[in-house]
Amino acid sequence: MIEFHQVSKMFAGKEAVRNLTLHIEKGSFTVLIGTSGSGKSTTLKMINRLVEHDSGEIRFAGEAIESMDARALRRRIGYAIQSIGLFPHWNVARNIATVPALLGWPKAKINQRVEELLALLNLDTQLASRFPHQLSGGQQQRVGVARALAADPELLLMDEPFGALDPVNRQALQQEMLRIQKLSGRTVVLVTHDIDEALTLADQLVLMDGGEIVQQGRPVELLTQPANAFAREFFGRSELGVRLLALGRAGSAARRGEWLDGEPIAATLTLREALSQFIARRTDKLPVTDQQQQPLGVLHFSDLLRQQEAN
Ligand code: ADP
Ligand code: MG
């Protein structure tokens, strides 16, 4: 879907991104992570040409982006950012409908899409007529994501989109994003500096430092086979164990054919969350139910250790 080939970008004589080569698969959830100033936002903005690259080549769906009309390109790409950038004098419905209106969708289709998106992002339909300043931060962020999704773009770029949220809203919106991405099969590229957020969302993780890619691959590869000392330090040796657990699910580690009475945990829970359940309930076995709340199996505390070895 996106190919960077030896791309560089300078600002005022200083290289913000250096010699970047990166392939982003269609349908993938790619997370760019790194320290502040490592070139993540610049990389993202070069994709929709908010920043023009100096050298190298960027292709979008096989076509070099510099030969495309920038506005036409942007209409195929949703963009959501931390500072949200909602239009203050437009109500929620009109904000969400920005791109569909630009594309000249008929009014009825726009209204239907706005309703769909409000539901998808767990926003009350009554909010449609409110103005941005009448919303909470979390609601504004959801509207920002809804707006980015409105014209069903082939690609969604998100720059620290949940950065301003409290932990509860943040986790809820992360789960929402995963669900939306799985449901729609859309390609997402998200920037964050939060390791746990990256591990929750990414199927491809790109670690950047000083304008360069340090390592890219599946999250488990970056955690277990860090390319160098920077990568190892970045993912934190001391917390490596629990971070690895965050990549596994209770459903896949549970022992089938066993059952146990008691309050079950959901198959979708990460093993890290299961670990806190083991500790909170002072037990070494937990029943696990599937999406339909049917018995699936039993997770044993020792399975967490086996999971670590499997990684
Ligand atoms: P990140 O998103 O990883 O924090 P950025 O991509 O925003 O990093 O920035 C990378 C480097 O480029 C930083 O040193 C930053 O100061 C510089 N930079 C980014 N945008 C501009 C700009 N518009 N003008 C000048 N320097 C910039
Ligand atoms: Mg940034």
Side-chain angles (χ1 to χ4, degrees):
M1 169 113 292
I2 311 161
E3 297 157 272
F4 281 77
H5 185 67
Q6 296 182 347
V7 171
S8 296
K9 174 68 193 177
M10 308 253 274
F11 286 116
K14 217 176 133 260
E15 250 172 350
V17 168
R18 187 175 322 131
N19 208 14
L20 197 94
T21 295
L22 174 65
H23 292 241
I24 292 168
E25 299 289 327
K26 195 167 168 28
S28 69
F29 204 126
T30 299
V31 174
L32 308 182
I33 190 164
T35 45
S36 173
S38 56
K40 306 181 297 295
S41 297
T42 304
T43 300
L44 204 66
K45 286 180 194 158
M46 288 192 294
I47 299 173
N48 64 4
R49 289 181 59 184
L50 285 177
V51 167
E52 301 278 1
H53 60 286
D54 295 332
S55 60
E57 188 172 57
I58 305 175
R59 290 177 164 271
F60 176 66
E63 208 179 332
I65 60 166
E66 62 258 44
S67 64
M68 300 168 80
D69 175 62
R71 278 188 308 172
L73 174 72
R74 269 175 226 144
R75 283 175 201 168
R76 294 169 63 184
I77 301 176
Y79 184 51
I81 51 177
Q82 179 177 340
S83 56
I84 312 168
L86 296 179
F87 302 117
H89 305 298
W90 287 7
N91 68 20
V92 165
R94 195 166 168 206
N95 263 289
I96 294 177
T98 306
V99 178
L102 280 171
L103 292 171
W105 288 19
K107 195 132 184 44
K109 189 177 167 193
I110 291 182
N111 291 341
Q112 192 197 339
R113 183 65 180 148
V114 168
E115 287 208 2
E116 261 173 39
L117 285 161
L118 289 172
L120 192 67
L121 284 147
N122 257 321
L123 289 161
D124 199 305
T125 44
Q126 292 183 334
L127 297 179
S129 56
R130 290 222 200 142
F131 290 89
H133 74 271
Q134 297 169 314
L135 303 176
S136 71
Q139 288 168 335
Q140 289 185 32
Q141 208 88 60
R142 283 164 194 269
V143 173
V145 174
R147 183 176 63 177
L149 287 167
D152 205 6
E154 295 155 69
L155 171 66
L156 187 60
L157 305 178
M158 308 182 90
D159 197 343
E160 312 241 4
F162 316 132
L165 298 182
D166 60 80
V168 174
N169 264 304
R170 190 179 180 120
Q171 281 199 351
L173 212 42
Q174 286 169 359
Q175 291 308 317
E176 225 85 78
M177 259 331 289
L178 274 180
R179 189 171 57 83
I180 292 167
Q181 195 255 351
K182 295 236 153 58
L183 205 80
S184 64
R186 285 289 174 258
T187 312
V188 179
V189 186
L190 180 139
V191 164
T192 185
H193 60 262
D194 180 326
I195 295 171
D196 293 315
E197 178 163 285
L199 296 178
T200 303
L201 296 174
D203 48 47
Q204 282 297 313
L205 195 53
V206 179
L207 175 62
M208 296 186 68
D209 183 42
E212 292 182 306
I213 294 178
V214 177
Q215 191 173 1
Q216 54 182 304
R218 290 186 302 124
V220 63
E221 285 166 10
L222 274 76
L223 289 180
T224 57
Q225 298 152 42
N228 58 20
F230 176 82
R232 191 173 311 119
E233 289 304 322
F234 188 85
F235 291 107
R237 265 180 285 200
S238 61
E239 294 212 54
L240 190 60
V242 279
R243 287 194 167 130
L244 280 168
L245 284 179
L247 300 177
R249 302 276 159 180
S252 32
R255 300 187 191 181
R256 311 292 162 117
E258 291 185 22
W259 191 242
L260 194 69
D261 285 333
E263 178 71 20
I265 61 169
T268 51
L269 224 61
T270 68
L271 292 177
R272 184 177 184 167
E273 291 164 323
L275 172 64
S276 37
Q277 289 300 314
F278 279 120
I279 294 167
R281 301 192 201 175
R282 295 183 171 76
T283 179
D284 64 352
K285 294 189 188 75
L286 289 166
V288 180
T289 48
D290 64 15
Q291 235 106 320
Q292 284 75 44
Q293 271 85 49
Q294 295 305 307
L296 185 93
V298 173
L299 183 66
H300 295 232
F301 183 76
S302 57
D303 296 336
L304 302 186
L305 308 177
R306 274 198 301 117
Q307 190 74 16
Q308 297 258 303
E309 284 158 17
N311 277 324

